[in-house]
Amino acid sequence: MAHRVHDHQSRLPVAQATVLALPPSSQAKDLRPRFTALDSLLCGAFAGAVAKTVIAPLDRTKIIFQVSSKRFSAKEAFRVLYCTFMKDGLLSLWRGNSATMVRVMPYAAIQFSSHEQYKTLLGGYYGYQGKALPPFPRFLAGSLAGTSAAMLTYPLDMVRARMAVTAREMYSNIMHVFVRISQEEGVKTLYRGFTPTILGVIPYAGITFFTYETLKKLHTEKTKRSQPYPHERLAFGACAGLIGQSAAYPLDIVRRRMQTAGVTGSSYSTILGTMRAIATQEGVIRGLYKGLSMNWVKGPVAVGISFTTFDIANNLLLKLHQMGYFTQS
């Protein structure tokens, strides 16, 4: 009898230990952070909105020069900004920004979110799951992300360009632009300039994401810190934007000319024809690279802010997941 009691007591701690060990294990599984595609979409939309709002006056001024035959200079750009402000007020510098927000929020959301998905897919395909991708897949992930976003949001970019170069009397709001273009020029006009846009996005998005991811990777290897500081992210993004936009800029000029042909009285219908006309009438450098110096100011700022905002928002949401603020069934 004493032996059986002793045997029962000797087994009791083991049974208790087994029972007590189960809840922490299941709890640990439930508390693991789960970063979803929705999180990436939200962070991307927020990042795009912040970046574009900051540089909206410069962006509008650049488009005005891109679609005209005026010679660009810093002095002329400042004069356009000043005259617009004096004539129509401060908020006129942000004219078309509502259309920009309608376009850029889904564009940035799709671009950043799809970039994360493409990195995962390519990482699995090339055997780099959870690790930094090699150079070509790194470029490919960016190109695919930019192409996906541009294809899904292109009509909004067309509308935004029209609003940026016209007076308020011509187009009163975003829906008015859609309706008027469809009625007067046809639905196909909403996709005018689509081909040069895609051809420009492939190198631009690929180079931009490639440069940013590469700089972050080199930074981690050199400093042994997994996350750069915000000012370092801004610098990496600025470099990425500078290189990417410079590479694809002539196609950006062609895209804007084709998008606004209906209101400027021009007849740009093909990529090569548009490039030839611009080069003949305005010169290669002064025509196809018009406004590039302004892009060197606004582009790096916009891309730097965009990447930095996305990463910071990304990390914040991840911490909130870890702290249990978001629960999933």
Side-chain angles (χ1 to χ4, degrees), residues 253-303:
I253 292 282
V254 172
R255 169 176 66 123
R256 293 302 185 198
R257 293 293 179 97
M258 294 178 72
Q259 285 177 336
T260 58
V263 294
T264 59
S266 303
S267 57
Y268 299 121
S269 57
T270 65
I271 298 173
L272 291 177
T274 303
M275 294 185 79
R276 190 182 301 113
I278 294 171
T280 302
Q281 296 169 14
E282 304 167 45
V284 175
I285 302 299
R286 292 179 180 176
L288 292 174
Y289 288 90
K290 180 186 294 182
L292 179 59
S293 57
M294 179 177 283
N295 235 39
W296 285 342
V297 175
K298 80 170 193 65
V301 171
V303 176

Side-chain angles (χ1 to χ4, degrees), residues 27-278:
Q27 287 174 356
K29 184 178 180 180
D30 292 337
L31 290 175
R32 286 183 301 179
R34 299 174 185 176
F35 200 76
T36 65
L38 178 61
D39 294 325
S40 292
L41 286 169
L42 291 173
C43 292
F46 180 64
V50 171
K52 281 295 184 180
T53 300
V54 170
I55 54 95
L58 293 175
D59 212 20
R60 183 171 186 260
T61 304
K62 184 201 75 171
I63 293 174
I64 290 172
F65 277 98
Q66 281 184 325
V67 301
S68 71
S69 57
K70 294 179 182 177
R71 183 175 176 180
F72 176 83
S73 68
K75 182 179 179 180
E76 282 297 306
F78 178 77
R79 191 183 68 79
V80 169
L81 283 168
Y82 179 74
C83 291
T84 304
F85 168 71
M86 293 301 294
K87 181 182 178 183
D88 300 316
L90 180 64
L91 291 180
S92 66
L93 296 174
W94 276 265
R95 172 162 168 74
N97 196 51
S98 57
T100 300
M101 290 299 101
V102 172
R103 180 194 74 91
V104 83
M105 291 182 73
Y107 181 93
I110 293 168
Q111 181 175 243
F112 279 109
S113 181
S114 62
H115 181 247
E116 297 297 316
Q117 301 303 315
Y118 285 130
K119 282 200 302 183
T120 302
L121 289 172
L122 291 171
Y125 180 79
Y126 285 96
Y128 286 84
Q129 193 73 44
K131 302 176 183 178
L133 292 173
F136 178 70
R138 206 179 304 155
F139 172 85
L140 187 59
S143 293
L144 290 171
T147 303
S148 300
M151 290 177 67
L152 293 172
T153 63
Y154 185 77
L156 293 169
D157 187 47
M158 172 72 169
V159 168
R160 179 256 182 156
R162 285 292 182 95
M163 290 188 73
V165 300
T166 56
R168 186 180 297 274
E169 293 75 25
M170 187 167 187
Y171 298 121
S172 57
N173 55 52
I174 297 170
M175 284 305 301
H176 187 208
V177 184
F178 274 112
V179 172
R180 190 164 176 179
I181 290 177
S182 300
Q183 290 177 344
E184 297 179 2
E185 303 174 53
V187 177
K188 285 185 178 181
T189 304
L190 292 171
Y191 285 88
R192 183 182 290 164
F194 178 76
T195 303
T197 297
I198 297 301
L199 292 176
V201 158
I202 291 171
Y204 167 67
I207 292 171
T208 302
F209 276 103
F210 169 81
T211 304
Y212 185 70
E213 294 290 327
T214 300
L215 290 173
K216 284 206 303 183
K217 179 176 178 290
L218 294 174
H219 172 271
T220 300
E221 292 173 353
K222 186 173 181 179
T223 63
K224 307 303 179 185
R225 283 190 282 116
S226 59
Q227 296 294 336
Y229 295 128
H231 67 275
E232 293 172 330
R233 294 183 193 276
L234 279 170
F236 298 161
C239 290
L242 183 66
I243 297 170
Q245 291 191 347
S246 298
Y249 195 78
L251 286 167
D252 192 42
I253 292 282
V254 172
R255 169 176 66 123
R256 293 302 185 198
R257 293 293 179 97
M258 294 178 72
Q259 285 177 336
T260 58
V263 294
T264 59
S266 303
S267 57
Y268 299 121
S269 57
T270 65
I271 298 173
L272 291 177
T274 303
M275 294 185 79
R276 190 182 301 113
I278 294 171

